[in-house]
C-alpha cells in the first residue's frame, strides 16, 4: 500500500505491557505527537526474532511505520520493518530499513536475498516520499540477527575469487569449471556484492548505501527513535 490512506492506530492490537502488536503486513501507520511515546512489538517467525520499537515524535513532524511494506511488483522482497520520519518544516525525511534474520554470513543466498530486500525497500520509501513531495535526507539500512559471521563472508569472497580465477582460465576444462561453481553454489555476479557487503555497504542505482548489523540477545532486540534519530 502506498501511503495514500494511512490507517489509525486502532487497526493494531494493543498488548497489556503498552506495546502494540504488529500483525498487519504492507500497511503504514502514522505516528504523530498526539501519541507522545509509542511502542511496537514485531515478531518474525522464520528468523525467530522479536524487535521492540519505541517512537517519540516532535509536535510538528510525523512518522510512517510499517512491516513488510512494498510496491506491488516487489512484495516478495519486503523487509520486516521500515520507518520514515518526515520533518514538516524542511520537507525532508529520514528513512530506516531493517530486516530480521536468524544468521547472516553462513550462506551466500541469505546475503543475496537481504541485499535484494534492501533494494526493494529503498524503491518503496522513495515512492512514498515522492507521494508526499518530501526529499530523502538519508536512508539507514540495518539487519538484526542472532549471529553476524564476518569470517564466513570473508571465506565466501575467497571461494568466489578462486572460482572466478579458475573459470577465467581458458585452459581449465569445462567440467572443472562447473565443479568449482557447484562446490560453492556459484551465483554469477555475486563476488562484487560480497566484497561490498564485507565493507558493510551495497550499491544500488549508482549510489552506495551503508548498513549496520545488529546482534540480538536471546532473539530480542530493541530500537528507540527520538525525533527520527535512532538512539
Amino acid at each position: 500500500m502506498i501511503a495514500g490512506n494511512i490507517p489509525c492506530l486502532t487497526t493494531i492490537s494493543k498488548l497489556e505491557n503498552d506495546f502494540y502488536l504488529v500483525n498487519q503486513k504492507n500497511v503504514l501507520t502514522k505516528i504523530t505527537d498526539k501519541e507522545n511515546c509509542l511502542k511496537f512489538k514485531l515478531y518474525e517467525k522464520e528468523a525467530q526474532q522479536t524487535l521492540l520499537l519505541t517512537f517519540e515524535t516532535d509536535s510538528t513532524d510525523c512518522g510512517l511505520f510499517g512491516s513488510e511494506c512494498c510496491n506491488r511488483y516487489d512484495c516478495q522482497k519486503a523487509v520486516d520493518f521500515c520507518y520514515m520520519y518526515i520533518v514538516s518544516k524542511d520537507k525532508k525525511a529520514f528513512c530506516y530499513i531493517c530486516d530480521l534474520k536468524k544468521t547472516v554470513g553462513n550462506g551466500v543466498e541469505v546475503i543475496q536475498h537481504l541485499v535484494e530486500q534492501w533494494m526493494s525497500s529503498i524503491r518503496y520509501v522513495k515512492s512514498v516520499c515522492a507521494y508526499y513531495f518530501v526529499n530523502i535526507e538519508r536512508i539507514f539500512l540495518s539487519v538484526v540477527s542472532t549471529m553476524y559471521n564476518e569470517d564466513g563472508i570473508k571465506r565466501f569472497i575467497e571461494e568466489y575469487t578462486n572460482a572466478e580465477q579458475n573459470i577465467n582460465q581458458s585452459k581449465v576444462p569445462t567440467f572443472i569449471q562447473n565443479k568449482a561453481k557447484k562446490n560453492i553454489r556459484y551465483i554469477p555476479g555475486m563476488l562484487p556484492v560480497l566484497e561490498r557487503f564485507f565493507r558493510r555497504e551495497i550499491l544500488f542505482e549508482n549510489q552506495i548505501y551503508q548498513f549496520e548489523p545488529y546482534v540480538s540477545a536471546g532473539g530480542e532486540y530493541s530500537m528507540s527513535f527520538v525525533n527520527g534519530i535512532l538512539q
Side-chain angles (χ1 to χ4, degrees):
M1 176 188 292
I2 298 298
N5 297 311
I6 304 300
C8 62
L9 288 173
T10 54
T11 61
I12 301 177
S13 302
K14 192 170 185 179
L15 302 180
E16 294 180 357
N17 58 355
D18 292 330
F19 278 89
Y20 286 93
L21 178 63
V22 181
N23 52 17
Q24 290 183 310
K25 309 298 183 182
N26 203 16
V27 174
L28 283 174
T29 296
K30 188 175 183 180
I31 301 172
T32 67
D33 68 305
K34 294 179 181 179
E35 291 85 24
N36 293 321
C37 180
L38 283 173
K39 298 180 180 180
F40 293 87
K41 184 175 183 179
L42 190 157
Y43 177 71
E44 212 293 314
K45 184 177 180 180
E46 184 176 346
Q48 298 179 358
Q49 296 279 346
T50 298
L51 191 60
L52 303 177
L53 301 161
T54 303
F55 301 102
E56 294 183 33
T57 307
D58 196 10
S59 58
T60 59
D61 303 330
C62 76
L64 300 175
F65 158 75
S67 176
E68 295 189 21
C69 291
C70 59
N71 294 318
R72 292 180 181 178
Y73 55 85
D74 253 354
C75 284
Q76 291 183 345
K77 299 175 183 177
V79 296
D80 293 305
F81 157 63
C82 68
Y83 176 54
M84 291 158 275
Y85 185 83
I86 299 175
V87 181
S88 302
K89 180 181 178 181
D90 300 326
K91 284 287 184 179
K92 64 182 181 181
F94 296 89
C95 304
Y96 295 85
I97 295 170
C98 178
D99 198 60
L100 307 179
K101 299 292 185 191
K102 195 167 185 178
T103 61
V104 177
N106 291 341
V108 176
E109 294 87 352
V110 173
I111 294 173
Q112 180 190 35
H113 185 58
L114 176 59
V115 171
E116 290 174 348
Q117 287 178 289
W118 280 334
M119 291 178 176
S120 171
S121 294
I122 290 171
R123 281 192 291 265
Y124 175 76
V125 298
K126 283 184 175 181
S127 67
V128 173
C129 289
Y131 180 91
Y132 283 106
F133 302 100
V134 171
N135 295 317
I136 295 178
E137 183 74 9
R138 187 174 174 184
I139 295 177
F140 300 86
L141 305 179
S142 62
V143 59
V144 176
S145 63
T146 57
M147 182 179 69
Y148 187 80
N149 188 356
E150 283 191 319
D151 290 336
I153 300 168
K154 187 176 182 180
R155 185 179 68 253
F156 292 140
I157 293 172
E158 293 172 352
E159 291 175 349
Y160 264 71
T161 300
N162 293 333
E164 292 203 354
Q165 287 176 348
N166 290 333
I167 292 168
N168 292 333
Q169 293 177 6
S170 58
K171 295 182 180 180
V172 176
T174 302
F175 77 92
I176 294 180
Q177 295 180 17
N178 292 336
K179 184 178 180 181
K181 293 179 182 180
K182 186 177 180 180
N183 287 342
I184 62 171
R185 296 182 181 179
Y186 183 81
I187 302 173
M190 196 62 190
L191 179 57
V193 176
L194 289 169
E195 290 173 333
R196 283 189 289 267
F197 197 91
F198 185 75
R199 299 193 298 268
R200 300 186 180 183
E201 63 185 32
I202 68 169
L203 175 65
F204 181 57
E205 295 180 342
N206 297 318
Q207 184 173 348
I208 294 292
Y209 295 88
Q210 295 181 331
F211 71 86
E212 285 292 334
Y214 300 110
V215 177
S216 63
E220 187 172 281
Y221 194 82
S222 298
M223 288 183 173
S224 178
F225 298 87
V226 178
N227 295 334
I229 304 299
L230 178 62
Q231 303 302 296

